[in-house]
Amino acid sequence: MKPFVLIVEDEDALSTLLEYNFSKEGYETAIAEDGEEALLIAEERSPDLILLDWMLPKLSGVEVCRRLRRRKETVSTPIIMLTARGDETDKVTGLDYGADDYLVKPFSMPELFARTRSLLRRAKPSLLQDIITQGDIEVDMQAFRVKRGDNTIHLGPTEFRLLEHFIKNPGRVFSREQLLDAVWGRDVYVEARTVDVHIGRLRKALGAPKKPDPIRTVRSAGYAFEPKLA
């Protein structure tokens, strides 16, 4: 079951970015553009985690947080408040109103995901899959450890992120451009040829005697991870 994340943000560019990244990481998402809509969505279906902007139309984020904490269905739902208000007094106010964590804009996606996983691990550990296995390849997301059979595989950070993306999307063909967006990010300029270099390193690291290559090259299309080969 995918964790359900409610994104409460009235800035279209940021809500779209959050939805894209959380969906890419395997979360189910919904977007609310104001405080009242957030409460309605949360009433229809209790989120597993809420990303809550402070400055919202109709109802402020802290008021939404206060009302959510008064409902038995959302009294313990993890809430991360996202805001441009970075003063210590604002942070204390947000936490006092019931937020579990507080991130000041602009923030990094890796930090947001780390905080998300930390809160979900405490609140609903069954939703997080720390170890993913495809064929004879095992990836431990928390320990950053990879094994193939009985052998431990040592990967660099980029190769690990590539394998993580592949193993979460088995069988799907990704173009070089899609892999650049997923692994390097949309805001980083990297030549498409760089993907080929890191795919080569990943293949070499995963290689084992009498074991097939689990990464398939699709001519004129890109690459795919094939569980049946692993």
Side-chain angles (χ1 to χ4, degrees):
M1 183 182 298
K2 294 182 178 182
F4 174 47
V5 176
L6 175 57
I7 300 168
V8 189
E9 172 62 59
D10 65 326
E11 184 183 335
D12 289 343
L14 181 54
S15 63
T16 299
L17 180 65
L18 290 168
E19 181 183 38
Y20 169 81
N21 281 278
F22 271 83
S23 297
K24 184 182 69 176
E25 291 296 317
Y27 294 83
E28 185 179 353
T29 62
I31 294 176
E33 297 181 351
D34 60 62
E36 290 184 356
E37 185 182 9
L39 293 174
L40 287 173
I41 293 175
E43 187 174 1
E44 292 172 357
R45 179 185 176 188
S46 295
D48 296 308
L49 182 133
I50 300 172
L51 304 178
L52 182 61
D53 186 21
W54 181 307
M55 303 298 291
L56 292 169
K58 299 184 180 180
L59 288 176
S60 70
V62 289
E63 178 60 21
V64 171
C65 194
R66 186 183 71 83
R67 296 191 188 188
L68 288 170
R69 291 306 185 221
R70 293 170 62 183
R71 295 178 177 176
K72 64 178 182 179
E73 295 83 3
T74 53
V75 65
S76 59
T77 300
I79 297 175
I80 301 178
M81 189 159 281
L82 308 176
T83 176
R85 304 170 69 123
D87 291 343
E88 183 179 0
T89 53
D90 292 325
K91 182 175 182 178
V92 170
T93 299
L95 296 174
D96 280 345
Y97 269 78
D100 297 280
D101 207 343
Y102 192 104
L103 265 179
V104 178
K105 300 175 183 178
F107 50 83
S108 73
M109 284 296 169
E111 181 180 8
L112 176 57
F113 280 121
R115 294 180 184 229
T116 295
R117 288 191 295 267
S118 177
L119 287 174
L120 285 176
R121 196 173 297 113
R122 294 200 299 266
K124 297 186 176 182
S126 62
L127 288 174
L128 289 185
Q129 191 175 8
D130 289 343
I131 298 178
I132 299 177
T133 302
Q134 296 284 359
D136 66 348
I137 296 177
E138 177 184 284
V139 180
D140 188 327
M141 301 300 176
Q142 297 306 313
F144 296 97
R145 185 179 297 115
V146 178
K147 294 182 68 177
R148 185 168 194 184
D150 296 327
N151 297 321
T152 298
I153 307 296
H154 300 285
L155 297 179
T158 302
E159 286 72 38
F160 184 89
R161 292 197 301 272
L162 265 174
L163 179 58
E164 178 183 359
H165 185 67
F166 276 133
I167 210 165
K168 287 181 177 178
N169 300 277
R172 180 178 170 184
V173 178
F174 291 97
S175 67
R176 291 174 177 82
E177 290 72 21
Q178 288 173 322
L179 290 173
L180 284 172
D181 285 346
V183 176
W184 281 265
R186 290 185 171 185
D187 298 328
V188 178
Y189 176 74
V190 180
E191 292 186 0
R193 176 65 182 167
T194 303
V195 174
D196 299 332
V197 174
H198 288 280
I199 289 288
R201 291 176 182 172
L202 179 58
R203 277 176 160 155
K204 183 177 180 180
L206 293 175
K210 299 182 180 180
K211 293 285 188 178
D213 182 358
I215 300 174
R216 179 168 60 95
T217 300
V218 182
R219 187 181 297 274
S220 302
Y223 300 98
F225 180 85
E226 297 292 347
K228 62 179 180 292
L229 299 179

